[in-house]
Amino acid sequence: MDIQLEKYKLMEWLVNLKDESIISKIKNIKKESSTASDWGDDISEAEKLLINAGLKDIEKGNTFTHEQVAKQINDTYGI
C-alpha cells in the first residue's frame, strides 16, 4: 500500500465531503489519536532515572528473590 497515495485520496474525498456527521466522526478520531499517550510521557525525569537504575540492577543481577524479601519482612516485622 502506498501510504502517500492513500492519504491524498482521503484528503481529496474529505475536501468534497458534505456529511457533517462523518466530519464530526473524523474530528473525534483525530482528537482521540492526539490525546493517546505512552505512560512514559507522563512520568517525571526522576521516575525515569529510577526505572533505568532498576533495569541496570536487573542486568547486573542485583536483585532479591521473593523468598529473601519475605524472610526480611518476617524477620523485621514478625509477619
Side-chain angles (χ1 to χ4, degrees):
M1 171 191 298
D2 181 356
I3 192 76
Q4 295 302 327
L5 178 60
E6 293 300 318
K7 289 192 292 186
Y8 177 76
K9 288 178 182 178
L10 283 170
M11 287 187 295
E12 186 177 37
W13 170 75
L14 186 58
V15 167
N16 295 312
L17 189 60
K18 304 285 189 250
D19 188 333
E20 290 183 24
S21 67
I22 294 176
I23 292 171
S24 179
K25 289 177 185 179
I26 293 170
K27 286 173 65 175
N28 286 336
I29 291 170
K30 180 181 179 280
K31 179 181 173 187
E32 289 172 9
S33 69
S34 65
T35 59
S37 67
D38 186 326
W39 64 270
D41 296 336
D42 298 330
I43 62 175
S44 70
E45 287 303 314
E47 290 168 316
K48 290 176 185 177
L49 289 172
L50 290 169
I51 290 169
N52 286 328
L55 292 171
K56 286 179 184 174
D57 278 341
I58 291 170
E59 288 174 4
K60 293 178 182 176
N62 297 334
T63 61
F64 298 97
T65 66
H66 173 76
E67 290 78 17
Q68 290 171 313
V69 173
K71 182 180 181 329
Q72 180 67 38
I73 291 171
N74 186 41
D75 292 349
T76 303
Y77 300 104
I79 55 175

Coordinates of all heavy atoms in Angstrom, one line a residue:
M1 N 0.8 -1.2 0.0 CA 0.0 0.0 0.0 C 0.9 1.2 0.0 O 1.8 1.4 0.8 CB -0.9 0.0 1.2 CG -1.6 1.3 1.4 SD -2.5 1.6 3.0 CE -3.7 0.2 3.0
D2 N 0.6 2.1 -0.9 CA 1.3 3.4 -0.9 C 0.6 4.4 0.0 O -0.4 4.9 -0.3 CB 1.3 3.9 -2.4 CG 2.1 5.2 -2.5 OD1 2.5 5.8 -1.5 OD2 2.2 5.7 -3.7
I3 N 1.2 4.6 1.2 CA 0.5 5.4 2.2 C 0.3 6.9 1.7 O -0.7 7.5 2.0 CB 1.3 5.4 3.5 CG1 0.5 6.0 4.7 CG2 2.6 6.1 3.4 CD1 -0.6 5.1 5.2
Q4 N 1.3 7.4 1.0 CA 1.1 8.8 0.5 C -0.1 8.9 -0.5 O -0.9 9.9 -0.4 CB 2.4 9.3 -0.2 CG 3.6 9.4 0.7 CD 3.3 10.3 1.9 OE1 2.6 11.3 1.8 NE2 3.9 10.0 3.1
L5 N -0.2 7.9 -1.3 CA -1.4 7.9 -2.3 C -2.7 7.8 -1.5 O -3.7 8.5 -1.8 CB -1.2 6.8 -3.3 CG -2.3 6.6 -4.3 CD1 -2.5 7.9 -5.1 CD2 -2.1 5.4 -5.2
E6 N -2.7 6.9 -0.5 CA -3.9 6.7 0.3 C -4.3 8.0 1.0 O -5.5 8.4 1.1 CB -3.8 5.6 1.3 CG -3.7 4.2 0.6 CD -4.9 3.9 -0.2 OE1 -6.0 4.1 0.2 OE2 -4.7 3.3 -1.3
K7 N -3.3 8.7 1.6 CA -3.6 10.0 2.3 C -4.1 11.0 1.3 O -5.1 11.8 1.6 CB -2.3 10.5 3.0 CG -2.0 9.6 4.2 CD -0.9 10.3 5.1 CE 0.4 10.4 4.5 NZ 1.5 10.9 5.4
Y8 N -3.5 11.1 0.1 CA -4.0 12.0 -0.9 C -5.5 11.7 -1.3 O -6.3 12.6 -1.4 CB -3.1 11.9 -2.2 CG -3.6 12.8 -3.3 CD1 -3.4 14.2 -3.2 CD2 -4.3 12.3 -4.4 CE1 -3.9 15.0 -4.2 CE2 -4.8 13.1 -5.4 CZ -4.6 14.5 -5.3 OH -5.1 15.3 -6.3
K9 N -5.8 10.4 -1.5 CA -7.2 10.1 -1.8 C -8.1 10.5 -0.7 O -9.3 11.0 -0.9 CB -7.3 8.6 -2.1 CG -6.7 8.1 -3.4 CD -6.8 6.6 -3.5 CE -6.1 6.1 -4.8 NZ -6.2 4.6 -4.8
L10 N -7.7 10.3 0.6 CA -8.5 10.6 1.7 C -8.7 12.2 1.8 O -9.8 12.6 2.0 CB -7.9 10.1 3.0 CG -8.1 8.7 3.3 CD1 -7.3 8.2 4.5 CD2 -9.6 8.3 3.5
M11 N -7.7 12.9 1.5 CA -7.8 14.4 1.5 C -8.7 14.8 0.4 O -9.6 15.7 0.7 CB -6.4 15.0 1.4 CG -5.6 14.9 2.6 SD -4.0 15.9 2.5 CE -3.2 15.0 1.2
E12 N -8.6 14.3 -0.7 CA -9.5 14.6 -1.8 C -11.0 14.3 -1.5 O -11.8 15.1 -1.7 CB -9.1 13.9 -3.1 CG -9.8 14.3 -4.3 CD -9.3 13.5 -5.6 OE1 -8.9 12.4 -5.5 OE2 -9.2 14.2 -6.6
W13 N -11.2 13.2 -0.9 CA -12.5 12.8 -0.5 C -13.1 13.7 0.6 O -14.2 14.2 0.5 CB -12.5 11.3 0.0 CG -13.8 10.9 0.7 CD1 -14.9 10.5 0.1 CD2 -14.0 10.7 2.1 NE1 -15.9 10.2 1.0 CE2 -15.3 10.2 2.2 CE3 -13.2 10.9 3.2 CZ2 -15.8 10.0 3.5 CZ3 -13.7 10.6 4.4 CH2 -15.0 10.2 4.6
L14 N -12.2 14.1 1.5 CA -12.6 14.9 2.6 C -12.9 16.3 2.2 O -13.9 16.9 2.6 CB -11.5 15.0 3.7 CG -11.7 15.8 5.0 CD1 -12.9 15.2 5.7 CD2 -10.5 15.7 5.9
V15 N -12.2 16.9 1.2 CA -12.5 18.2 0.7 C -13.9 18.3 0.1 O -14.6 19.3 0.2 CB -11.4 18.6 -0.4 CG1 -11.8 19.8 -1.2 CG2 -10.1 18.8 0.3
N16 N -14.3 17.2 -0.5 CA -15.6 17.2 -1.2 C -16.7 16.7 -0.3 O -17.9 16.6 -0.7 CB -15.5 16.3 -2.5 CG -14.6 16.9 -3.5 OD1 -14.6 18.1 -3.8 ND2 -13.7 16.1 -4.0
L17 N -16.4 16.3 0.9 CA -17.4 15.7 1.8 C -18.4 16.8 2.3 O -18.0 17.9 2.7 CB -16.7 15.1 3.0 CG -17.5 14.3 4.0 CD1 -18.1 13.1 3.3 CD2 -16.6 13.8 5.1
K18 N -19.7 16.4 2.3 CA -20.7 17.4 2.8 C -21.4 16.9 4.0 O -22.1 17.6 4.7 CB -21.8 17.5 1.7 CG -21.3 18.0 0.3 CD -20.9 19.4 0.3 CE -20.6 19.9 -1.0 NZ -19.2 20.2 -1.3
D19 N -21.2 15.6 4.4 CA -21.9 15.0 5.5 C -21.3 15.4 6.8 O -20.1 15.0 7.2 CB -21.9 13.5 5.4 CG -22.8 12.8 6.4 OD1 -23.0 13.3 7.5 OD2 -23.2 11.6 6.1
E20 N -22.0 16.3 7.6 CA -21.4 16.8 8.9 C -21.2 15.7 9.9 O -20.2 15.8 10.7 CB -22.3 17.9 9.4 CG -22.3 19.1 8.6 CD -23.1 20.2 9.2 OE1 -23.3 20.2 10.5 OE2 -23.5 21.1 8.5
S21 N -22.0 14.6 9.9 CA -21.8 13.6 10.9 C -20.5 12.8 10.6 O -19.8 12.4 11.6 CB -23.0 12.6 10.8 OG -23.0 11.9 9.6
I22 N -20.1 12.6 9.4 CA -18.8 12.0 9.1 C -17.7 12.9 9.5 O -16.7 12.4 10.1 CB -18.8 11.5 7.6 CG1 -19.8 10.5 7.3 CG2 -17.3 11.1 7.3 CD1 -19.9 10.0 5.9
I23 N -17.8 14.2 9.2 CA -16.8 15.1 9.6 C -16.6 15.1 11.1 O -15.5 15.1 11.6 CB -17.1 16.5 9.0 CG1 -17.0 16.5 7.5 CG2 -16.2 17.6 9.6 CD1 -17.5 17.8 6.8
S24 N -17.7 15.1 11.8 CA -17.6 15.0 13.3 C -16.9 13.8 13.8 O -16.1 13.8 14.7 CB -19.1 15.1 13.8 OG -19.1 15.0 15.2
K25 N -17.2 12.6 13.1 CA -16.6 11.4 13.5 C -15.1 11.5 13.2 O -14.2 11.0 14.0 CB -17.2 10.2 12.7 CG -18.6 9.9 13.2 CD -19.2 8.7 12.4 CE -20.6 8.5 12.8 NZ -21.2 7.4 12.0
I26 N -14.7 12.0 12.1 CA -13.3 12.2 11.8 C -12.6 13.1 12.8 O -11.5 12.8 13.2 CB -13.1 12.7 10.3 CG1 -13.6 11.7 9.3 CG2 -11.7 13.1 10.1 CD1 -13.7 12.2 7.9
K27 N -13.3 14.2 13.2 CA -12.7 15.1 14.2 C -12.5 14.3 15.5 O -11.5 14.5 16.2 CB -13.6 16.3 14.4 CG -13.5 17.3 13.3 CD -14.6 18.4 13.4 CE -14.3 19.2 14.7 NZ -15.2 20.4 14.7
N28 N -13.4 13.4 15.9 CA -13.3 12.6 17.1 C -12.1 11.7 17.0 O -11.4 11.5 18.0 CB -14.6 11.9 17.4 CG -15.7 12.8 18.0 OD1 -15.4 13.8 18.5 ND2 -16.9 12.4 17.8
I29 N -11.9 11.1 15.9 CA -10.8 10.2 15.7 C -9.5 10.9 15.8 O -8.6 10.5 16.5 CB -10.9 9.5 14.3 CG1 -12.0 8.5 14.2 CG2 -9.5 8.8 14.0 CD1 -12.3 7.9 12.9
K30 N -9.4 12.1 15.2 CA -8.2 13.0 15.3 C -8.0 13.3 16.8 O -6.8 13.3 17.3 CB -8.4 14.2 14.5 CG -7.2 15.2 14.5 CD -7.5 16.4 13.7 CE -6.3 17.4 13.7 NZ -6.3 18.2 14.9
K31 N -9.0 13.7 17.5 CA -8.9 14.1 18.9 C -8.4 12.9 19.8 O -7.5 13.1 20.6 CB -10.2 14.6 19.4 CG -10.2 15.0 20.9 CD -11.6 15.5 21.3 CE -11.6 15.8 22.8 NZ -12.9 16.1 23.3
E32 N -9.0 11.8 19.6 CA -8.6 10.6 20.3 C -7.1 10.2 20.0 O -6.4 9.8 20.9 CB -9.5 9.4 20.1 CG -10.9 9.6 20.7 CD -11.9 8.6 20.2 OE1 -11.5 7.6 19.6 OE2 -13.1 8.7 20.5
S33 N -6.7 10.3 18.8 CA -5.4 9.9 18.4 C -4.3 10.8 18.9 O -3.2 10.5 19.2 CB -5.2 9.6 16.9 OG -5.3 10.9 16.2
S34 N -4.7 12.1 19.1 CA -3.7 13.1 19.5 C -3.6 13.1 21.0 O -2.6 13.5 21.6 CB -4.1 14.5 19.0 OG -5.3 14.9 19.6
T35 N -4.6 12.6 21.8 CA -4.6 12.5 23.2 C -4.0 11.2 23.7 O -3.6 11.1 24.9 CB -5.9 12.8 23.8 OG1 -6.8 11.8 23.4 CG2 -6.5 14.2 23.5
A36 N -3.9 10.2 22.9 CA -3.4 9.0 23.3 C -1.9 9.1 23.6 O -1.2 9.7 22.7 CB -3.6 7.9 22.3
S37 N -1.4 8.7 24.7 CA 0.0 8.9 25.0 C 0.6 7.6 25.7 O -0.2 6.8 26.2 CB 0.2 10.1 25.9 OG -0.3 9.9 27.2
D38 N 1.8 7.5 25.7 CA 2.5 6.5 26.3 C 2.7 6.9 27.8 O 2.9 8.0 28.1 CB 3.9 6.3 25.7 CG 4.7 5.2 26.2 OD1 4.6 4.8 27.3 OD2 5.5 4.6 25.4
W39 N 2.5 5.9 28.7 CA 2.6 6.2 30.1 C 4.0 6.8 30.4 O 4.1 7.6 31.4 CB 2.4 5.0 31.0 CG 3.4 3.9 30.8 CD1 3.3 2.9 30.0 CD2 4.6 3.8 31.6 NE1 4.5 2.1 30.1 CE2 5.3 2.6 31.1 CE3 5.2 4.5 32.6 CZ2 6.5 2.2 31.5 CZ3 6.5 4.1 33.0 CH2 7.1 2.9 32.5
G40 N 5.0 6.5 29.6 CA 6.3 7.1 29.9 C 6.4 8.6 29.6 O 7.3 9.2 30.1
D41 N 5.4 9.1 28.9 CA 5.4 10.5 28.7 C 4.9 11.3 29.9 O 5.0 12.5 30.0 CB 4.5 10.9 27.5 CG 5.0 10.3 26.2 OD1 6.2 10.1 26.1 OD2 4.2 10.1 25.2
D42 N 4.2 10.6 30.8 CA 3.5 11.2 31.9 C 4.3 11.1 33.2 O 3.8 11.5 34.3 CB 2.1 10.6 32.1 CG 1.2 10.8 30.9 OD1 1.4 11.8 30.2 OD2 0.4 10.0 30.6
I43 N 5.5 10.5 33.2 CA 6.2 10.4 34.4 C 7.4 11.4 34.5 O 7.8 11.9 33.4 CB 6.8 9.0 34.7 CG1 7.7 8.6 33.6 CG2 5.6 8.0 34.8 CD1 8.4 7.2 33.8
S44 N 7.8 11.7 35.7 CA 8.9 12.7 35.8 C 10.2 12.2 35.4 O 10.4 11.0 35.3 CB 8.9 13.2 37.3 OG 9.5 12.1 38.1
E45 N 11.2 13.1 35.2 CA 12.5 12.7 34.9 C 13.1 11.9 36.0 O 13.9 10.9 35.8 CB 13.4 13.9 34.6 CG 13.1 14.6 33.3 CD 13.3 13.6 32.1 OE1 14.3 12.9 32.0 OE2 12.3 13.6 31.3
A46 N 12.8 12.2 37.3 CA 13.3 11.4 38.4 C 12.8 10.0 38.4 O 13.6 9.0 38.6 CB 12.9 12.1 39.7
E47 N 11.5 9.8 38.0 CA 11.0 8.5 37.9 C 11.6 7.7 36.8 O 11.9 6.5 36.9 CB 9.5 8.6 37.7 CG 8.7 9.0 38.9 CD 7.3 9.4 38.6 OE1 7.0 10.0 37.6 OE2 6.4 9.0 39.5
K48 N 11.9 8.4 35.7 CA 12.6 7.7 34.6 C 14.0 7.3 35.0 O 14.4 6.2 34.6 CB 12.7 8.6 33.3 CG 11.3 8.9 32.7 CD 11.4 9.9 31.5 CE 10.1 10.2 31.0 NZ 10.1 11.2 29.9
L49 N 14.7 8.1 35.7 CA 16.0 7.8 36.2 C 16.0 6.5 37.1 O 16.8 5.6 37.0 CB 16.7 8.9 36.9 CG 17.1 10.1 36.0 CD1 17.6 11.3 36.8 CD2 18.2 9.7 35.1
L50 N 15.0 6.5 38.0 CA 14.9 5.4 38.9 C 14.5 4.1 38.2 O 15.1 3.0 38.5 CB 13.8 5.7 40.0 CG 14.2 6.8 41.0 CD1 12.9 7.2 41.8 CD2 15.3 6.3 41.9
I51 N 13.7 4.2 37.2 CA 13.3 3.0 36.4 C 14.6 2.5 35.7 O 14.9 1.3 35.7 CB 12.2 3.3 35.4 CG1 10.9 3.5 36.2 CG2 12.1 2.2 34.4 CD1 9.8 4.1 35.3
N52 N 15.3 3.4 35.1 CA 16.6 3.0 34.4 C 17.6 2.4 35.3 O 18.3 1.4 35.0 CB 17.1 4.1 33.6 CG 16.3 4.4 32.4 OD1 15.8 3.5 31.8 ND2 16.3 5.7 32.0
A53 N 17.7 2.9 36.5 CA 18.6 2.4 37.6 C 18.2 1.0 37.9 O 19.0 0.1 38.1 CB 18.7 3.3 38.8
G54 N 16.9 0.8 38.1 CA 16.4 -0.6 38.4 C 16.6 -1.6 37.3 O 17.0 -2.7 37.6
L55 N 16.5 -1.1 36.1 CA 16.8 -2.0 34.9 C 18.2 -2.4 34.9 O 18.6 -3.6 34.6 CB 16.3 -1.4 33.6 CG 14.8 -1.2 33.4 CD1 14.5 -0.4 32.2 CD2 14.1 -2.6 33.3
K56 N 19.1 -1.4 35.2 CA 20.5 -1.7 35.3 C 20.8 -2.7 36.4 O 21.7 -3.6 36.2 CB 21.4 -0.5 35.4 CG 21.4 0.4 34.2 CD 22.2 1.6 34.3 CE 22.1 2.5 33.1 NZ 22.8 3.8 33.2
D57 N 20.2 -2.6 37.5 CA 20.4 -3.5 38.6 C 20.0 -4.9 38.2 O 20.7 -5.9 38.5 CB 19.5 -3.1 39.8 CG 20.2 -2.1 40.7 OD1 21.4 -1.9 40.6 OD2 19.5 -1.4 41.5
I58 N 18.9 -5.1 37.5 CA 18.4 -6.4 37.0 C 19.5 -7.0 36.1 O 19.8 -8.1 36.2 CB 17.1 -6.3 36.3 CG1 16.0 -5.9 37.3 CG2 16.7 -7.5 35.6 CD1 14.6 -5.5 36.7
E59 N 20.0 -6.1 35.1 CA 21.0 -6.6 34.2 C 22.3 -7.1 34.9 O 22.9 -8.1 34.5 CB 21.4 -5.5 33.2 CG 20.4 -5.2 32.2 CD 20.8 -4.0 31.4 OE1 21.9 -3.4 31.5 OE2 19.9 -3.6 30.5
K60 N 22.6 -6.5 36.0 CA 23.8 -6.8 36.8 C 23.5 -8.0 37.8 O 24.4 -8.5 38.5 CB 24.3 -5.6 37.6 CG 24.9 -4.5 36.7 CD 25.3 -3.3 37.5 CE 25.8 -2.2 36.7 NZ 26.1 -1.0 37.5
G61 N 22.3 -8.4 37.9 CA 21.9 -9.4 38.9 C 21.7 -8.9 40.3 O 21.7 -9.7 41.2
N62 N 21.7 -7.6 40.5 CA 21.5 -7.0 41.8 C 20.0 -7.1 42.2 O 19.3 -6.1 42.2 CB 22.0 -5.6 41.9 CG 23.5 -5.5 41.6 OD1 24.2 -6.4 41.9 ND2 23.9 -4.4 41.1
T63 N 19.5 -8.3 42.5 CA 18.1 -8.5 42.8 C 17.9 -9.4 44.0 O 18.9 -10.0 44.4 CB 17.3 -9.1 41.6 OG1 17.9 -10.4 41.3 CG2 17.4 -8.2 40.3
F64 N 16.7 -9.4 44.5 CA 16.4 -10.3 45.6 C 15.2 -11.2 45.2 O 14.3 -10.8 44.4 CB 15.9 -9.5 46.8 CG 16.9 -8.6 47.4 CD1 17.0 -7.2 47.0 CD2 17.9 -9.1 48.2 CE1 17.9 -6.4 47.5 CE2 18.9 -8.2 48.8 CZ 18.9 -6.9 48.4
T65 N 15.2 -12.5 45.6 CA 14.1 -13.4 45.3 C 13.0 -13.0 46.2 O 13.1 -12.3 47.3 CB 14.5 -14.8 45.6 OG1 14.8 -15.0 47.0 CG2 15.8 -15.2 44.8
H66 N 11.8 -13.5 45.9 CA 10.6 -13.3 46.7 C 10.8 -13.9 48.1 O 10.4 -13.2 49.1 CB 9.4 -14.0 46.0 CG 8.2 -14.0 46.9 ND1 7.4 -12.8 47.0 CD2 7.6 -14.9 47.7 CE1 6.4 -13.1 47.8 NE2 6.5 -14.4 48.2
E67 N 11.5 -15.0 48.2 CA 11.7 -15.7 49.5 C 12.6 -14.8 50.3 O 12.4 -14.7 51.5 CB 12.3 -17.1 49.3 CG 11.4 -18.1 48.7 CD 11.1 -17.9 47.2 OE1 12.0 -17.3 46.5 OE2 10.1 -18.5 46.7
Q68 N 13.6 -14.2 49.8 CA 14.5 -13.3 50.5 C 13.8 -12.1 51.1 O 14.0 -11.7 52.2 CB 15.7 -12.8 49.6 CG 16.7 -13.9 49.3 CD 17.7 -13.5 48.3 OE1 17.3 -12.9 47.2 NE2 19.0 -13.7 48.5
V69 N 12.9 -11.5 50.3 CA 12.2 -10.3 50.7 C 11.2 -10.7 51.8 O 11.0 -10.1 52.8 CB 11.4 -9.7 49.5 CG1 10.5 -8.6 50.0 CG2 12.5 -9.2 48.5
A70 N 10.5 -11.9 51.6 CA 9.5 -12.3 52.6 C 10.2 -12.6 53.9 O 9.7 -12.2 55.0 CB 8.8 -13.6 52.1
K71 N 11.4 -13.2 53.9 CA 12.1 -13.5 55.1 C 12.5 -12.2 55.8 O 12.4 -12.1 57.0 CB 13.3 -14.4 54.8 CG 14.1 -14.7 56.1 CD 15.3 -15.6 55.7 CE 16.1 -16.0 57.0 NZ 16.2 -15.1 58.1
Q72 N 13.0 -11.2 55.0 CA 13.4 -10.0 55.6 C 12.2 -9.3 56.3 O 12.3 -8.7 57.4 CB 14.0 -9.1 54.5 CG 14.5 -7.7 55.1 CD 15.6 -7.8 56.0 OE1 16.6 -8.6 55.8 NE2 15.6 -7.0 57.1
I73 N 11.1 -9.3 55.6 CA 9.9 -8.7 56.2 C 9.5 -9.4 57.5 O 9.2 -8.8 58.5 CB 8.7 -8.6 55.2 CG1 9.1 -7.7 54.0 CG2 7.4 -8.3 55.8 CD1 8.1 -7.7 52.9
N74 N 9.5 -10.7 57.4 CA 9.1 -11.5 58.6 C 10.1 -11.3 59.7 O 9.7 -11.1 60.9 CB 9.1 -13.0 58.2 CG 8.6 -13.9 59.4 OD1 7.6 -13.5 60.0 ND2 9.2 -15.0 59.6
D75 N 11.4 -11.2 59.4 CA 12.4 -11.0 60.5 C 12.3 -9.6 61.1 O 12.4 -9.4 62.3 CB 13.8 -11.2 59.9 CG 14.1 -12.6 59.6 OD1 13.3 -13.5 59.9 OD2 15.2 -12.8 58.9
T76 N 11.9 -8.6 60.2 CA 11.9 -7.2 60.7 C 10.5 -7.0 61.4 O 10.5 -6.3 62.5 CB 12.0 -6.3 59.5 OG1 13.3 -6.6 58.9 CG2 12.0 -4.8 60.0
Y77 N 9.4 -7.4 60.8 CA 8.1 -7.0 61.4 C 7.4 -8.2 62.0 O 6.3 -8.0 62.5 CB 7.3 -6.4 60.2 CG 7.9 -5.2 59.6 CD1 8.5 -5.3 58.4 CD2 7.9 -4.0 60.3 CE1 9.1 -4.2 57.8 CE2 8.5 -2.9 59.7 CZ 9.1 -3.0 58.5 OH 9.7 -1.9 57.9
G78 N 7.9 -9.4 61.9 CA 7.2 -10.5 62.5 C 5.9 -10.9 61.8 O 5.0 -11.5 62.5
I79 N 5.9 -10.7 60.5 CA 4.6 -11.1 59.8 C 5.0 -12.0 58.7 O 6.1 -12.1 58.2 CB 3.9 -9.8 59.3 CG1 4.8 -8.9 58.4 CG2 3.3 -9.1 60.4 CD1 4.0 -7.8 57.7

